[in-house]
Amino acid sequence: MATLAERLVEAHNRINNAAAIANRSPEEITLLAVSKTKPASMIVEAYDAGCRHFGENYLQEGVEKIAELSQLDDIVWHFIGPLQSNKTRPVAEHFDWMHTLDRSKIAQRLNDQRPTGKPPLNVCLQVNISNEASKSGVSVAKLPQLAVAVAAMPNLRLRGLMAIPAASNDPAQQRLAFAQMKQLLQQLQQTHPQLDTLSMGMSTDMDAAILEGSTMVRIGTAIFGTRN
Ligand SMILES: *Cc1c(COP(=O)(O)O)cnc(C)c1O
């Protein structure tokens, strides 16, 4: 079985190959290692192999790992899980990025709870791009209004958009949703030129996401192995 370092090399190879096909520089694409359910020791292993961006889905687990690994002070911590409005404080206090913002109520609380002395919390607005009833994310129709509200909050820094499209094994189908995301970002950039992030693509569809302009791929299984 491949080691974690070998799987990381493989993930970077996939990024490089997809970027080459898309005529993009691989440096435009950040690998966000999704370490949810995996022990802190594996984060250290990935860190030693060069990873600096880590994504966590579960609040308690994420906060514990951040505390345990606090000596690795150049790690950038991303919260990528669903968040209830009464659970915002640990995200505001401990994370550097939040990818799943989809309501102004949560944005307001994160803004109010961000400790003074910390830089603004980087945020991506999660878009329900496949329009699934069961999925979180702001609708395409309500996205511009949410972007205006979030961009006005001084302790948040609006960076871009995030999506988890409906799962598909068909690369053409995968690309369709990602292309719609790229278009949404470009529309928003007309009034919010500071937006620079498209958080999209996971282990099974990162190649399609990069072809359509992803700047941050969130990779769990392909690096850390399957989860229980
Ligand atoms: C778990 C998760 C990932 C990583 O998924 P893999 O298929 O393991 O690469 C990416 N993004 C989000 C939001 C996740 O919850």
Side-chain angles (χ1 to χ4, degrees):
M1 211 178 95
T3 65
L4 197 156
E6 286 165 349
R7 289 194 296 259
L8 255 177
V9 169
E10 184 53 36
H12 278 293
N13 285 342
R14 276 175 72 187
I15 292 174
N16 294 347
N17 288 339
I21 293 169
N23 244 321
R24 304 178 57 202
S25 163
E27 274 149 40
E28 294 172 19
I29 301 145
T30 299
L31 192 164
L32 171 49
V34 176
S35 42
K36 64 184 178 203
T37 79
K38 300 298 179 181
S41 59
M42 287 182 92
I43 297 181
V44 173
E45 213 179 326
Y47 179 94
D48 287 339
C51 267
R52 290 298 178 270
H53 292 262
F54 292 91
E56 290 285 337
N57 284 58
Y58 309 107
L59 213 41
Q60 174 86 10
E61 178 191 336
V63 168
E64 282 171 14
K65 288 177 188 168
I66 292 171
E68 190 175 342
L69 300 173
S70 60
Q71 77 283 6
L72 304 179
D73 60 5
D74 59 347
I75 288 187
V76 182
W77 292 102
H78 298 248
F79 187 76
I80 62 171
L83 186 64
Q84 294 170 284
S85 62
N86 62 344
K87 300 270 175 65
T88 49
R89 185 174 291 280
V91 174
E93 291 184 347
H94 300 291
F95 283 83
D96 304 296
W97 283 71
M98 153 73 174
H99 289 236
T100 50
L101 190 55
D102 63 359
R103 269 166 288 169
S104 58
K105 179 183 177 186
I106 289 184
Q108 189 65 58
R109 291 176 63 92
L110 290 170
N111 179 72
D112 295 346
Q113 293 166 345
R114 185 69 170 168
T116 45
K118 282 222 179 208
L121 180 67
N122 295 289
V123 298
C124 291
L125 305 181
Q126 183 179 1
V127 182
N128 187 355
I129 194 66
S130 304
N131 213 4
E132 294 171 281
S134 58
K135 283 270 177 75
S136 40
V138 64
S139 67
V140 169
K142 289 186 180 154
L143 174 62
Q145 191 187 334
L146 181 60
V148 167
V150 171
M153 296 182 186
N155 300 326
L156 303 183
R157 182 168 169 214
L158 181 58
R159 297 296 295 268
L161 303 178
M162 177 273 207
I164 311 171
S168 166
N169 294 324
D170 173 10
Q173 199 61 39
Q174 293 172 354
R175 285 183 67 169
L176 219 55
F178 293 136
Q180 288 173 313
M181 289 295 296
K182 171 83 178 179
Q183 205 168 31
L184 286 175
L185 182 74
Q186 285 172 333
Q187 283 165 10
L188 280 181
Q189 280 170 330
Q190 290 171 13
T191 43
H192 306 275
Q194 78 278 20
L195 301 195
D196 60 5
T197 302
L198 267 179
S199 164
M200 55 188 202
M202 316 201 299
S203 293
T204 54
D205 57 10
M206 61 187 283
D207 319 87
I210 291 168
L211 291 177
E212 298 299 345
S214 172
T215 67
M216 205 177 271
V217 287
R218 308 180 309 268
I219 308 301
T221 310
I223 296 173
F224 295 107
T226 50
R227 291 177 293 272
N228 296 327

